[in-house]
Amino acid sequence: MASKGQLTGMRGVFLVAAELSKRGFIVSPTSRSALGADILTTDQSCCKTFSVQVKTNAKNASFWLIGAKAQTAVSRTHIYVLVNLRDNAAKGDSVDYYVVPSKDLAKLGYHDGNWPNIQRKDIVKYKDNWSPFGSTAEHL
């Protein structure tokens, strides 16, 4: 039986996969045991490929826990999508996406000498910014 945390993580992966598909990408979630990539994606001409690591919070949290591997798993084609699920039955579900290139995330993970967490206040500029994957027009 899947834990609540595992289900939250799976929900985040599939929401990101849906967003990338909506933007014209071919998307394939990896097996849950794949280290460092939850999604592999490519444009429709298979010329641009990306690995995507998804981290999901199920409440309005101020940070995401990121593994120490993020310090060294840096590539121009490896992208983190930090997902915040804010369920509110009265107002409907709300999902925030922070799309952070791995090279940028590797620089952001230190706070008070501690790794590994990423603070929301440090990634505001990445909210709903899917540009690391290229312009939508390139893919449709």
Side-chain angles (χ1 to χ4, degrees):
M1 179 174 240
S3 72
K4 186 175 181 179
Q6 288 172 317
L7 291 173
T8 297
M10 288 170 36
R11 184 174 170 202
V13 167
F14 285 105
L15 285 167
V16 171
E19 284 295 317
L20 288 167
S21 293
K22 183 170 80 174
R23 287 167 168 72
F25 286 94
I26 300 166
V27 179
S28 181
T30 65
S31 93
R32 293 297 293 165
S33 62
L35 186 60
D38 295 311
I39 297 171
L40 299 175
T41 188
T42 185
D43 62 359
Q44 291 185 20
S45 63
C46 296
C47 292
K48 293 183 180 181
T49 60
F50 301 92
S51 58
V52 181
Q53 180 73 44
V54 179
K55 298 293 182 182
T56 308
N57 284 332
K59 58 183 180 179
N60 196 13
S62 62
F63 68 94
W64 286 261
L65 295 175
I66 305 293
K69 187 174 189 239
Q71 293 174 283
T72 57
V74 176
S75 163
R76 65 176 187 76
T77 61
H78 187 56
I79 299 170
Y80 282 78
V81 180
L82 308 179
V83 179
N84 190 201
L85 306 174
R86 295 181 291 126
D87 296 336
N88 184 332
K91 296 181 180 177
D93 291 348
S94 179
V95 181
D96 294 329
Y97 300 98
Y98 297 86
V99 184
V100 187
S102 59
K103 65 180 176 52
D104 295 354
L105 186 121
K107 297 173 189 172
L108 294 170
Y110 294 96
H111 288 280
D112 302 324
N114 295 315
W115 183 268
N117 69 54
I118 300 298
Q119 301 290 318
R120 178 192 305 275
K121 65 181 177 60
D122 294 335
I123 59 169
V124 172
K125 72 179 185 179
Y126 299 98
K127 185 176 181 185
D128 296 322
N129 181 1
W130 296 88
S131 67
F133 293 100
S135 86
T136 304
E138 293 176 27
H139 308 291
L140 295 179

